[in-house]
Amino acid sequence: MLIKVVLILAVAVVSLFMLRGHGARRQALRRLGLLAFAAVAVVSIIFPDLLTAVAQKINVGRGADLLLYVLIVVFFSYVASRYVRDRRADQRVTALARRLALSEAPPPRGALPAAGPEPQTGLAGGPTPEAP
Amino acid sequence: MPATGFDDVWVVIPVYNEAAVFASVLADVTGTFGHVCVVDDCSTDGSAAIAQEFAGRGVRLVRHPFNLGQGAALQTGLEYVLGDPLMRRVITFDADGQHHVADAVAMVERLDASGATPAGPAGQASSRPGLDVVLGSRFLGGGKGEMGGAKRLVLKAAIAYTNLVVGMKLTDTHNGLRAMNRRAVAALHITQNGMAHATEILEQVKRANLAYVEHKVKISYSPYAKAKGQSLLNAINILVDLVLR
């Protein structure tokens, strides 16, 4: 069935697209894709029969079915891109947290700041090392 | 502080909620090693307070402001010990009591601690005789690793997969006991916050052309460690993290 091939290809392309490439190029492509999505949506609202005609061309029964399939692909692409973006955000947060942790840590050698649990280089309002 | 020949050695121990066994682990480690960096990954059970009690015995506590994962904690510890100019060798050690200090001692003594020239254009890597990394292995020489059949099966699958991805031939790829020299520590940049860091470390060891070897170690699966240990489902998380980078 043609639709199966089309959908599987779409899923594969979207996955690759989401995992590779970066920067302005990808952002531009994503915006173009969104624009095309909106245009198709408007056209299909004005001419609902058009959607059905296209659906029948690729052996999908009704336009509504085609819409559902496309929606699934779009949703999947959203989840994939979200995953990648979350990972990047995680890495930034990790770097930040690590700098904070290291800046509050005692020096590796030499005596510790005697009784005071507050590290000298600690940031104001940071967590205190002692939590009884 | 114990008087040993390990003044250039740092033990990095990432810890997350191991209060039940952590004091005995730290007592063991500080009995041999005088410099220990505990990275507390925002434990909620007082593990950090236990580490603080050992401050007088050379334990330095670094605390993540929130939970980031074991890979992140390891990287934090490595960056901390790089701040000590006298550091030449590092051991990574698990906080749950599954490792043995005697193994760590044997491993760290196999390292080449001299070739740690941070700067210098003379990149004669191939002429260095010593080892940069010693990796603990519970399976080396046909060891069974003291674990149940199902878990061993999953672990063996993970090891086979990791060897395939990394292009190495190791008998154990997910062992938290490692020894490395300064050169190796500086070459590592762990970005996998979760458990997939084990594979990432190996990849970077390979990419940086570090000289490595496996070392037979004993793993003790106490009932406590068994109850806590990585579940079978966690193996799936590791796989997904590895594939979807």
Side-chain angles (χ1 to χ4, degrees):
Chain A
M1 225 168 113
L2 191 59
I3 182 64
K4 287 185 180 167
V5 178
V6 169
L7 287 175
I8 289 171
L9 272 180
V11 169
V13 167
V14 163
S15 323
L16 276 178
F17 173 69
M18 288 305 161
L19 296 176
R20 311 246 169 265
H22 26 178
R25 211 174 98 90
R26 200 171 70 167
Q27 192 184 29
L29 285 174
R30 194 189 294 124
R31 285 171 175 170
L32 279 180
L34 198 66
L35 213 65
F37 184 73
V40 170
V42 169
V43 169
S44 67
I45 290 167
I46 301 174
F47 309 105
D49 295 342
L50 209 60
L51 201 59
T52 304
V54 173
Q56 275 164 356
K57 273 240 166 56
I58 53 173
N59 295 333
V60 179
R62 303 175 304 156
D65 291 341
L66 182 63
L67 198 64
L68 177 67
Y69 294 154
V70 171
L71 207 61
I72 288 170
V73 172
V74 169
F75 176 69
F76 172 72
S77 77
Y78 172 77
V79 170
S81 85
R82 197 68 256 176
Y83 183 87
V84 171
R85 280 211 254 173
D86 280 355
R87 271 217 51 138
R88 292 216 182 101
D90 275 354
Q91 285 177 2
R92 282 194 290 263
V93 167
T94 299
L96 198 61
R98 180 169 295 135
R99 284 269 71 83
L100 181 69
L102 290 174
S103 72
E104 294 196 334
R109 299 252 168 183
L112 287 174
E118 202 73 41
Q120 314 112 315
T121 53
L123 301 182
T128 45
E130 203 79 52
Chain B
M1 199 173 290
T4 60
F6 295 130
D7 193 49
D8 64 332
V9 175
W10 273 92
V11 183
V12 172
I13 309 181
V15 62
Y16 178 63
N17 289 351
E18 302 285 3
V21 289
F22 198 39
S24 74
V25 169
L26 281 182
D28 270 5
V29 171
T30 55
T32 302
F33 297 104
H35 302 288
V36 180
C37 170
V38 169
V39 183
D40 173 44
D41 202 9
C42 206
S43 297
T44 53
D45 68 346
S47 294
I50 293 171
Q52 206 92 71
E53 283 165 24
F54 284 83
R57 298 179 64 177
V59 172
R60 295 291 183 267
L61 177 62
V62 183
R63 303 187 73 180
H64 281 171
F66 40 82
N67 186 259
L68 288 168
Q70 196 185 2
L74 263 181
Q75 179 63 29
T76 299
L78 295 183
E79 289 186 20
Y80 179 80
V81 299
L82 274 174
D84 176 11
L86 299 178
M87 180 274 285
R88 288 285 168 270
R89 297 173 287 176
V90 173
I91 295 161
T92 68
F93 202 90
D94 283 358
D96 59 3
Q98 62 169 292
H99 297 320
H100 294 265
V101 172
D103 286 331
V105 169
M107 286 167 69
V108 84
E109 281 176 342
R110 293 181 71 177
L111 286 174
D112 165 34
S114 63
T117 45
Q124 297 167 321
S126 54
S127 66
R128 285 176 308 104
L131 291 165
D132 298 310
V133 181
V134 180
L135 302 162
S137 169
R138 72 205 96 175
F139 297 121
L140 193 67
K144 286 225 163 91
E146 281 186 39
M147 66 183 78
K151 188 173 175 187
R152 186 160 69 240
L153 206 67
V154 170
L155 194 59
K156 288 279 190 186
I159 290 167
Y161 176 80
T162 307
N163 276 326
L164 193 73
V165 170
V166 178
M168 286 181 169
K169 278 194 168 152
L170 300 174
T171 58
D172 193 357
T173 53
H174 286 69
N175 195 306
L177 186 53
R178 310 172 188 86
M180 52 190 116
N181 62 15
R182 189 177 186 104
R183 198 176 111 90
V185 174
L188 291 183
H189 301 283
I190 304 166
T191 64
Q192 295 283 341
N193 284 3
M195 292 309 298
H197 70 270
T199 305
E200 194 183 25
I201 288 173
L202 297 178
E203 275 179 344
Q204 295 181 2
V205 164
K206 179 122 204 243
R207 199 170 306 147
N209 268 320
L210 299 170
Y212 63 91
V213 72
E214 285 193 298
H215 184 97
K216 170 89 183 149
V217 301
K218 195 171 172 325
I219 300 282
S220 293
Y221 286 101
S222 62
Y224 168 79
K226 261 184 202 151
K228 258 201 86 120
Q230 288 181 43
S231 72
L232 299 183
L233 282 174
N234 207 8
I236 293 170
N237 287 335
I238 294 177
L239 276 178
V240 171
D241 277 354
L242 283 173
V243 175
L244 280 181
R245 257 184 295 209

